[in-house]
Amino acid sequence: MRVGIRWRAPAAFAAVCAVLLTGCQGDQGQDRLGEQAATVSPTPVRPSGYGAVFLAVDECSSFGRTSFTEVSCQSERAAARVVARHDGTVRDGPRCPATTDFVLHISEQRPSFDEDGDGAVPRGYACMRNLQPPHPGDPGGGGGPRTIVGDCVYDLGDGKVRETACDGGGERKPEFEVTKAVDIRSDCPASTALYVRLGGTTPVGCARPV
């Protein structure tokens, strides 16, 4: 399925075949992407394997952040794996795992066939982890949707900071490193020079100069 483009699943093809071709039978073999074709039936057959639920946990996406396709994780087009999947928006929903590399935002779609048969793929988001390095979501990686212990930041002014790679390989050099996550500022060590908002159960990041 490609976000923003109509989804034509193998099961939808099976339904058309059942209507137009008397005697369409059984196993249609393998399609060009290596997916098992659906068996012909009087009613649409839900696809198996990847695609049964759009970008479910442990499924993979192709390259791209704004336009992407769900593909088999064994495909040469596979770029990242889903580590968590939630309906709704990032702002209102659960947080992605700490080492998530990036987030794919899924707009609401109404294809001719979908995972539960109600005619809609709900709005949601998928927390993604690259299949191969680099992993910007790792501590010190310089990216990812969350700032975690081990990450480095630089000061933007007005009380704002932005993450950058701790090894100095980013566009900006690191100025502070988050060394600890605590409940309140008073729990930070004496060496703390900057407090970083992390969110979650320990929302305060204690950062020291680097």
Side-chain angles (χ1 to χ4, degrees), residues 92-150:
D92 300 327
R95 307 179 78 207
C96 283
T99 55
T100 297
D101 287 329
F102 63 95
V103 177
L104 291 180
H105 299 272
I106 302 165
S107 300
E108 183 176 3
Q109 303 291 311
R110 297 190 179 277
S112 57
F113 188 85
D114 68 286
E115 62 257 30
D116 59 9
D118 68 355
V121 174
R123 182 181 184 184
Y125 57 98
C127 309
M128 309 299 296
R129 176 82 173 169
N130 293 330
L131 294 179
Q132 301 293 333
H135 294 290
D138 283 351
R146 292 182 54 183
T147 300
I148 59 177
V149 173

Side-chain angles (χ1 to χ4, degrees), residues 76-94:
E76 62 182 13
R77 298 173 57 208
R81 187 184 302 273
V82 181
V83 294
R85 170 75 154 84
H86 304 290
D87 292 338
T89 64
V90 172
R91 175 175 296 181
D92 300 327

Side-chain angles (χ1 to χ4, degrees), residues 152-154 164-170 172-177 209-210:
C152 292
V153 299
Y154 62 91
T164 189
C166 288
D167 64 5
R172 292 284 299 270
K173 299 297 182 182
E175 296 177 355
F176 304 91
E177 180 183 352
V210 295

Side-chain angles (χ1 to χ4, degrees), residues 152-163:
C152 292
V153 299
Y154 62 91
D155 191 1
L156 289 173
D158 296 327
K160 299 178 181 179
V161 297
R162 180 167 294 170
E163 190 175 335

Side-chain angles (χ1 to χ4, degrees), residues 1-205:
M1 176 176 177
R2 183 180 299 276
V3 168
I5 298 177
R6 186 174 182 141
W7 182 12
R8 297 179 180 176
F13 169 79
V16 173
C17 181
V19 172
L20 297 181
L21 298 178
T22 303
C24 279
Q25 296 179 354
D27 186 2
Q28 301 297 311
Q30 301 286 324
D31 68 12
R32 61 191 178 91
L33 293 179
E35 183 180 16
Q36 184 71 35
T39 302
V40 173
S41 171
T43 57
V45 177
R46 188 172 299 182
S48 61
Y50 80 91
V53 175
F54 183 58
L55 287 182
V57 173
D58 286 334
E59 291 176 352
C60 292
S61 73
S62 62
F63 295 89
R65 303 290 178 87
T66 58
S67 178
F68 53 89
T69 303
E70 181 182 293
V71 297
S72 167
C73 290
Q74 282 68 52
S75 168
E76 62 182 13
R77 298 173 57 208
R81 187 184 302 273
V82 181
V83 294
R85 170 75 154 84
H86 304 290
D87 292 338
T89 64
V90 172
R91 175 175 296 181
D92 300 327
R95 307 179 78 207
C96 283
T99 55
T100 297
D101 287 329
F102 63 95
V103 177
L104 291 180
H105 299 272
I106 302 165
S107 300
E108 183 176 3
Q109 303 291 311
R110 297 190 179 277
S112 57
F113 188 85
D114 68 286
E115 62 257 30
D116 59 9
D118 68 355
V121 174
R123 182 181 184 184
Y125 57 98
C127 309
M128 309 299 296
R129 176 82 173 169
N130 293 330
L131 294 179
Q132 301 293 333
H135 294 290
D138 283 351
R146 292 182 54 183
T147 300
I148 59 177
V149 173
D151 280 340
C152 292
V153 299
Y154 62 91
D155 191 1
L156 289 173
D158 296 327
K160 299 178 181 179
V161 297
R162 180 167 294 170
E163 190 175 335
T164 189
C166 288
D167 64 5
E171 294 183 1
R172 292 284 299 270
K173 299 297 182 182
E175 296 177 355
F176 304 91
E177 180 183 352
V178 180
T179 59
K180 190 175 183 180
V182 297
D183 293 329
I184 56 177
R185 290 188 176 190
S186 59
D187 290 337
C188 285
S191 59
T192 300
L194 181 74
Y195 303 99
V196 179
R197 182 181 299 175
L198 304 181
T201 56
T202 50
V204 178

